[in-house]
PDB file of all heavy atoms in Angstrom:
ATOM      1  N   THR A  37     -44.662 -16.237 -53.472  1.00 97.00           N
ATOM      2  CA  THR A  37     -45.620 -17.190 -52.893  1.00 97.00           C
ATOM      3  C   THR A  37     -44.878 -18.440 -52.413  1.00 97.00           C
ATOM      4  O   THR A  37     -43.822 -18.776 -52.935  1.00 97.00           O
ATOM      5  CB  THR A  37     -46.708 -17.616 -53.909  1.00 97.00           C
ATOM      6  OG1 THR A  37     -46.064 -18.085 -55.080  1.00 97.00           O
ATOM      7  CG2 THR A  37     -47.626 -16.468 -54.263  1.00 97.00           C
ATOM      8  N   GLU A  58     -24.868 -32.598 -46.123  1.00 96.00           N
ATOM      9  CA  GLU A  58     -26.020 -33.403 -46.561  1.00 96.00           C
ATOM     10  C   GLU A  58     -26.468 -34.347 -45.439  1.00 96.00           C
ATOM     11  O   GLU A  58     -27.662 -34.585 -45.259  1.00 96.00           O
ATOM     12  CB  GLU A  58     -25.641 -34.191 -47.820  1.00 96.00           C
ATOM     13  CG  GLU A  58     -26.844 -34.765 -48.520  1.00 96.00           C
ATOM     14  CD  GLU A  58     -26.598 -35.137 -49.973  1.00 96.00           C
ATOM     15  OE1 GLU A  58     -25.632 -34.637 -50.590  1.00 96.00           O
ATOM     16  OE2 GLU A  58     -27.396 -35.932 -50.488  1.00 96.00           O
ATOM     17  N   ASN A  62     -30.155 -34.430 -43.955  1.00 97.00           N
ATOM     18  CA  ASN A  62     -30.948 -35.671 -43.933  1.00 97.00           C
ATOM     19  C   ASN A  62     -31.549 -35.941 -42.558  1.00 97.00           C
ATOM     20  O   ASN A  62     -32.581 -36.598 -42.445  1.00 97.00           O
ATOM     21  CB  ASN A  62     -30.104 -36.862 -44.398  1.00 97.00           C
ATOM     22  CG  ASN A  62     -30.031 -36.912 -45.909  1.00 97.00           C
ATOM     23  OD1 ASN A  62     -30.970 -36.521 -46.605  1.00 97.00           O
ATOM     24  ND2 ASN A  62     -28.901 -37.366 -46.435  1.00 97.00           N
ATOM     25  N   GLY A  81     -36.350 -20.885 -54.755  1.00 98.00           N
ATOM     26  CA  GLY A  81     -35.698 -21.301 -53.513  1.00 98.00           C
ATOM     27  C   GLY A  81     -36.618 -22.166 -52.681  1.00 98.00           C
ATOM     28  O   GLY A  81     -37.686 -22.589 -53.143  1.00 98.00           O
ATOM     29  N   ARG A 105     -30.921 -13.289 -55.264  1.00 97.00           N
ATOM     30  CA  ARG A 105     -30.630 -12.694 -53.949  1.00 97.00           C
ATOM     31  C   ARG A 105     -30.422 -11.183 -54.064  1.00 97.00           C
ATOM     32  O   ARG A 105     -29.997 -10.684 -55.112  1.00 97.00           O
ATOM     33  CB  ARG A 105     -29.361 -13.328 -53.350  1.00 97.00           C
ATOM     34  CG  ARG A 105     -29.558 -14.774 -52.993  1.00 97.00           C
ATOM     35  CD  ARG A 105     -28.279 -15.373 -52.435  1.00 97.00           C
ATOM     36  NE  ARG A 105     -28.339 -16.837 -52.491  1.00 97.00           N
ATOM     37  CZ  ARG A 105     -27.302 -17.643 -52.360  1.00 97.00           C
ATOM     38  NH1 ARG A 105     -26.097 -17.139 -52.138  1.00 97.00           N
ATOM     39  NH2 ARG A 105     -27.463 -18.944 -52.445  1.00 97.00           N
ATOM     40  N   VAL A 113     -40.249 -13.431 -48.023  1.00 98.00           N
ATOM     41  CA  VAL A 113     -40.490 -14.777 -47.465  1.00 98.00           C
ATOM     42  C   VAL A 113     -40.668 -14.683 -45.950  1.00 98.00           C
ATOM     43  O   VAL A 113     -41.567 -15.314 -45.376  1.00 98.00           O
ATOM     44  CB  VAL A 113     -39.328 -15.737 -47.819  1.00 98.00           C
ATOM     45  CG1 VAL A 113     -39.483 -17.072 -47.090  1.00 98.00           C
ATOM     46  CG2 VAL A 113     -39.260 -15.963 -49.328  1.00 98.00           C
ATOM     47  N   SER A 122     -48.666 -16.420 -37.733  1.00 97.00           N
ATOM     48  CA  SER A 122     -49.486 -15.617 -36.811  1.00 97.00           C
ATOM     49  C   SER A 122     -50.930 -16.107 -36.890  1.00 97.00           C
ATOM     50  O   SER A 122     -51.600 -16.289 -35.869  1.00 97.00           O
ATOM     51  CB  SER A 122     -49.465 -14.140 -37.197  1.00 97.00           C
ATOM     52  OG  SER A 122     -48.181 -13.625 -37.101  1.00 97.00           O
ATOM     53  N   ILE A 130     -38.448 -18.528 -34.776  1.00 98.00           N
ATOM     54  CA  ILE A 130     -37.014 -18.485 -34.481  1.00 98.00           C
ATOM     55  C   ILE A 130     -36.220 -18.965 -35.692  1.00 98.00           C
ATOM     56  O   ILE A 130     -36.757 -19.660 -36.576  1.00 98.00           O
ATOM     57  CB  ILE A 130     -36.638 -19.313 -33.229  1.00 98.00           C
ATOM     58  CG1 ILE A 130     -36.917 -20.801 -33.424  1.00 98.00           C
ATOM     59  CG2 ILE A 130     -37.340 -18.791 -31.988  1.00 98.00           C
ATOM     60  CD1 ILE A 130     -36.329 -21.692 -32.317  1.00 98.00           C
ATOM     61  N   ASN A 135     -22.290 -17.779 -36.215  1.00 98.00           N
ATOM     62  CA  ASN A 135     -21.603 -16.544 -35.775  1.00 98.00           C
ATOM     63  C   ASN A 135     -20.810 -15.911 -36.928  1.00 98.00           C
ATOM     64  O   ASN A 135     -20.601 -14.696 -36.951  1.00 98.00           O
ATOM     65  CB  ASN A 135     -20.653 -16.866 -34.609  1.00 98.00           C
ATOM     66  CG  ASN A 135     -19.581 -17.880 -34.978  1.00 98.00           C
ATOM     67  OD1 ASN A 135     -19.896 -19.056 -35.120  1.00 98.00           O
ATOM     68  ND2 ASN A 135     -18.359 -17.441 -35.146  1.00 98.00           N
ATOM     69  N   SER A 137     -21.729 -15.987 -40.192  1.00 97.00           N
ATOM     70  CA  SER A 137     -22.591 -15.612 -41.327  1.00 97.00           C
ATOM     71  C   SER A 137     -23.014 -14.149 -41.185  1.00 97.00           C
ATOM     72  O   SER A 137     -24.163 -13.840 -40.833  1.00 97.00           O
ATOM     73  CB  SER A 137     -23.831 -16.515 -41.381  1.00 97.00           C
ATOM     74  OG  SER A 137     -23.472 -17.865 -41.529  1.00 97.00           O
ATOM     75  N   LYS A 146     -32.428  -6.838 -39.782  1.00 98.00           N
ATOM     76  CA  LYS A 146     -33.168  -5.850 -40.577  1.00 98.00           C
ATOM     77  C   LYS A 146     -34.649  -6.213 -40.664  1.00 98.00           C
ATOM     78  O   LYS A 146     -35.491  -5.348 -40.868  1.00 98.00           O
ATOM     79  CB  LYS A 146     -32.569  -5.733 -41.973  1.00 98.00           C
ATOM     80  CG  LYS A 146     -31.297  -4.914 -41.979  1.00 98.00           C
ATOM     81  CD  LYS A 146     -30.856  -4.574 -43.377  1.00 98.00           C
ATOM     82  CE  LYS A 146     -29.926  -3.380 -43.331  1.00 98.00           C
ATOM     83  NZ  LYS A 146     -29.553  -2.923 -44.674  1.00 98.00           N
ATOM     84  N   PHE A 149     -35.813  -9.327 -36.266  1.00 98.00           N
ATOM     85  CA  PHE A 149     -35.520 -10.428 -35.339  1.00 98.00           C
ATOM     86  C   PHE A 149     -34.548  -9.931 -34.264  1.00 98.00           C
ATOM     87  O   PHE A 149     -33.712  -9.079 -34.521  1.00 98.00           O
ATOM     88  CB  PHE A 149     -34.884 -11.610 -36.089  1.00 98.00           C
ATOM     89  CG  PHE A 149     -35.866 -12.429 -36.888  1.00 98.00           C
ATOM     90  CD1 PHE A 149     -36.414 -11.942 -38.068  1.00 98.00           C
ATOM     91  CD2 PHE A 149     -36.244 -13.696 -36.464  1.00 98.00           C
ATOM     92  CE1 PHE A 149     -37.321 -12.694 -38.821  1.00 98.00           C
ATOM     93  CE2 PHE A 149     -37.138 -14.459 -37.194  1.00 98.00           C
ATOM     94  CZ  PHE A 149     -37.682 -13.952 -38.375  1.00 98.00           C
ATOM     95  N   PRO A 163     -18.809 -32.199 -40.390  1.00 92.00           N
ATOM     96  CA  PRO A 163     -17.669 -33.051 -40.746  1.00 92.00           C
ATOM     97  C   PRO A 163     -16.396 -32.265 -41.060  1.00 92.00           C
ATOM     98  O   PRO A 163     -15.307 -32.764 -40.841  1.00 92.00           O
ATOM     99  CB  PRO A 163     -18.150 -33.826 -41.972  1.00 92.00           C
ATOM    100  CG  PRO A 163     -19.457 -33.256 -42.350  1.00 92.00           C
ATOM    101  CD  PRO A 163     -19.970 -32.410 -41.250  1.00 92.00           C
ATOM    102  N   ASP A 175     -20.453 -21.179 -33.179  1.00 98.00           N
ATOM    103  CA  ASP A 175     -21.692 -21.098 -32.397  1.00 98.00           C
ATOM    104  C   ASP A 175     -22.889 -20.812 -33.295  1.00 98.00           C
ATOM    105  O   ASP A 175     -22.761 -20.092 -34.292  1.00 98.00           O
ATOM    106  CB  ASP A 175     -21.580 -19.971 -31.360  1.00 98.00           C
ATOM    107  CG  ASP A 175     -20.365 -20.148 -30.471  1.00 98.00           C
ATOM    108  OD1 ASP A 175     -20.061 -21.306 -30.117  1.00 98.00           O
ATOM    109  OD2 ASP A 175     -19.705 -19.145 -30.161  1.00 98.00           O
TER     110      ASP A 175
END
Side-chain angles (χ1 to χ4, degrees):
T37 53
E58 194 160 340
N62 279 328
R105 293 179 198 165
V113 172
S122 297
I130 64 170
N135 60 287
S137 300
K146 283 191 159 185
F149 283 73
D175 305 322

